Amino acid sequence: QVQLVESGGELVQAGGSLRLSCAASGRTFSRYAMGWFRQAPGKEREFVATISRSGGSTYYADSVKGRFTISRDNAKNTVYLQMNSLKPEDTAVYYCAADRVYGDSADHTAAYDYNYWGQGTQVTVSS
């Protein structure tokens, strides 16, 4: 199993940037594709981005494409989400998740595909 802890969420003005981090415990980090999801008040949890085990492939939701960048540092057991040009509609609790896979693809966008989840970190974008 892998334990995940998100950090970096805070209040930021529209147009600003934030960098979220997700630290994983254990020695099996590189066995998992990783994803970021978010959940706004009154809405379902939605896919944001995913990255393959090696970091060589990424995939983004249309709503964040061109603004957000997912990356990982396997030596540090950490996944990042760089968020630029933030909009009020980006306000949500952001969760990182681990997807136990056997290849090196980044194509899972459904929450049920992910095995382990962090506790979430709040991102609030003001107008």
Side-chain angles (χ1 to χ4, degrees), residues 15-83:
S17 298
L18 282 176
R19 183 178 174 88
L20 305 183
S21 297
C22 176
S25 62
R27 301 194 302 157
T28 61
F29 181 67
S30 64
R31 301 179 188 175
Y32 297 87
M34 300 296 296
W36 285 97
F37 290 76
R38 66 188 183 186
Q39 188 165 21
K43 299 186 67 176
E44 297 290 320
R45 187 169 300 186
E46 67 172 336
F47 168 77
V48 175
T50 185
I51 188 166
S52 64
R53 292 168 62 187
S54 69
S57 298
T58 59
Y59 185 76
Y60 299 90
D62 288 342
S63 59
V64 307
K65 195 174 301 179
R67 299 188 298 121
F68 291 11
T69 302
I70 187 171
S71 61
R72 69 191 294 164
D73 186 339
N74 286 349
K76 296 182 177 180
N77 281 14
T78 303
V79 177
Y80 305 96
L81 185 68
Q82 178 67 46
M83 305 185 295

Side-chain angles (χ1 to χ4, degrees), residues 1 6 17 37 49 81 97 99 107-108 113:
Q1 298 185 24
E6 303 97 331
S17 298
F37 290 76
L81 185 68
D99 179 12
D107 56 5
H108 287 176
D113 283 324

